[in-house]
C-alpha cells in the first residue's frame, strides 16, 4: 500500500509539474503567434520588428526563471537566450550582421558551457565535423574575404555546441540539432542561393530549438553516460 500511495503521489506531482510548465509556456506560444501573424517584411527593419522577433526568446528566459529558478545550468541557458535575443535584434539590420554573429556565437558558447565537456565522446565530435565540415567549407567559398574568418569561427562553435548538446541528450540534443538546421538554412539562403520560404523554415526551427533546449532545464538530467 505504501508503495502504491508513493507511486500515486509521484504521478500526481509529475502531472501537476507538467501542467505548470505548459501554463508558463503560454506567453512564448502567444508571442510566436504574434511574430508569424504580423510577419513584418525583412526589408522594413525597425525596433518594432526587432521587439516582435525577440519577444518569444524573452518569454523563454522568463519561463526558466519561473519553472527552474537558480542553478548554474538555468543561469547559463538564460544568458544564452539573452545573447540570442541580441543576435536576433542585430540581424534585423543587414549592417549589424557581424554583431549578430558575435552574439549568437556567445550564446552557443554559453550553451556549450551548460552542457559541459564530460563525457568527451570524441567519436561523435569527429562524426559531426565530417558531416558538417564540407558544408561549412562550401559556405565559406561564397563569402567575401572579410567574412570568412568570423563565419568559420561561428561554424566551429556551432559544431561544438551540437556535439555537447547531443551528448547531454534529451530535448537539449534535439534543440541543438534544430538550431544547427536553422543556421544551415540561413547560411545557404544568405550566402549561396535564395530558398523559397527560407525565413519560415529558419524561424520555426529556431524557435523550436530554443524551446527544446529550455525544456531541458526543469529536469536537467545531465549528460548520458551510456
Amino acid at each position: 500500500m505504501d508503495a502504491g500511495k508513493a507511486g500515486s503521489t509521484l504521478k500526481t506531482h509529475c502531472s501537476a509539474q507538467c501542467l505548470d510548465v505548459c501554463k508558463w509556456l503560454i506567453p512564448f506560444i502567444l508571442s510566436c503567434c504574434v511574430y508569424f501573424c504580423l510577419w513584418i517584411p525583412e526589408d522594413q527593419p525597425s525596433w518594432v520588428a526587432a521587439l516582435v522577433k525577440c519577444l518569444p526568446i524573452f518569454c523563454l528566459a522568463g519561463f526558466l526563471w519561473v519553472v527552474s529558478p537558480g542553478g548554474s545550468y538555468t543561469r547559463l541557458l538564460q544568458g544564452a537566450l539573452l545573447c540570442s535575443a541580441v543576435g536576433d535584434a542585430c540581424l534585423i539590420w543587414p549592417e549589424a550582421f557581424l554583431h549578430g554573429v558575435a552574439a549568437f556565437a556567445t550564446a552557443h558558447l554559453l550553451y556549450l558551457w551548460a552542457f559541459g565537456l564530460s563525457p568527451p565522446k570524441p567519436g561523435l565530435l569527429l562524426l559531426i565535423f565530417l558531416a558538417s565540415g564540407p558544408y561549412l567549407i562550401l559556405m565559406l567559398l561564397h563569402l567575401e574575404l572579410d567574412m570568412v574568418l568570423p563565419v568559420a569561427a561561428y561554424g566551429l562553435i556551432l559544431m561544438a555546441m551540437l556535439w555537447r548538446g547531443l551528448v547531454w541528450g534529451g530535448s537539449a540534443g534535439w534543440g541543438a540539432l534544430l538550431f544547427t538546421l536553422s543556421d544551415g538554412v540561413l547560411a545557404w539562403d544568405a550566402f549561396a542561393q535564395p530558398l523559397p520560404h527560407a525565413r519560415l523554415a529558419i524561424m520555426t526551427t529556431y524557435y523550436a530549438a530554443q524551446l527544446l533546449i529550455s525544456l531541458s532545464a526543469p529536469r536537467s538530467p545531465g549528460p548520458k553516460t551510456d
Side-chain angles (χ1 to χ4, degrees):
M1 287 295 293
D2 290 342
K5 288 181 179 179
S8 178
T9 301
L10 180 61
K11 184 177 180 180
T12 301
H13 174 73
C14 290
S15 298
Q17 186 182 41
C18 182
L19 287 173
D20 195 47
V21 167
C22 293
K23 176 182 71 175
W24 289 109
L25 281 177
I26 291 175
F28 168 76
I29 296 170
L30 291 177
S31 59
C32 284
C33 291
V34 169
Y35 174 81
F36 288 109
C37 288
L38 291 179
W39 203 243
I40 299 173
E42 291 182 295
D43 59 357
Q44 298 178 14
S46 67
W47 286 107
V48 173
L51 177 61
V52 170
K53 186 180 182 184
C54 296
L55 194 56
I57 305 304
F58 289 139
C59 289
L60 284 179
F63 163 79
L64 289 176
W65 184 74
V66 172
V67 303
S68 184
S72 60
Y73 185 80
T74 296
R75 288 195 295 270
L76 288 168
L77 262 56
Q78 288 174 315
L81 287 168
L82 294 177
C83 288
S84 297
V86 172
D88 284 330
C90 289
L91 293 183
I92 291 289
W93 291 272
E95 61 271 20
F97 179 80
L98 286 180
H99 295 85
V101 170
F104 274 114
T106 304
H108 290 314
L109 287 172
L110 289 172
Y111 279 139
L112 193 155
W113 187 359
F115 299 147
L117 295 175
S118 179
K121 298 207 173 183
L124 178 59
L125 177 60
L126 178 60
L127 181 62
I128 290 171
F129 182 78
L130 292 175
S132 304
Y135 187 83
L136 176 59
I137 293 171
L138 180 61
M139 290 300 98
L140 296 179
L141 294 176
H142 288 85
L143 297 176
E144 295 184 7
L145 190 59
D146 61 336
M147 293 283 290
V148 170
L149 185 59
V151 172
Y154 178 83
L156 293 174
I157 292 171
L158 180 61
M159 287 185 211
M161 188 280 293
L162 174 60
W163 166 46
R164 298 319 304 167
L166 291 175
V167 173
W168 187 267
S171 64
W174 288 108
L177 274 171
L178 282 180
F179 216 135
T180 305
L181 175 61
S182 177
D183 279 355
V185 175
L186 188 153
W188 187 271
D189 181 65
F191 304 136
Q193 182 179 356
L195 296 171
H197 310 297
R199 183 183 172 195
L200 180 62
I202 291 164
M203 295 309 297
T204 51
T205 51
Y206 169 68
Y207 285 141
Q210 296 282 30
L211 171 62
L212 287 169
I213 294 175
S214 297
L215 286 174
S216 68
R219 294 186 178 182
S220 191
K224 296 182 293 184
T225 56
D226 57 342

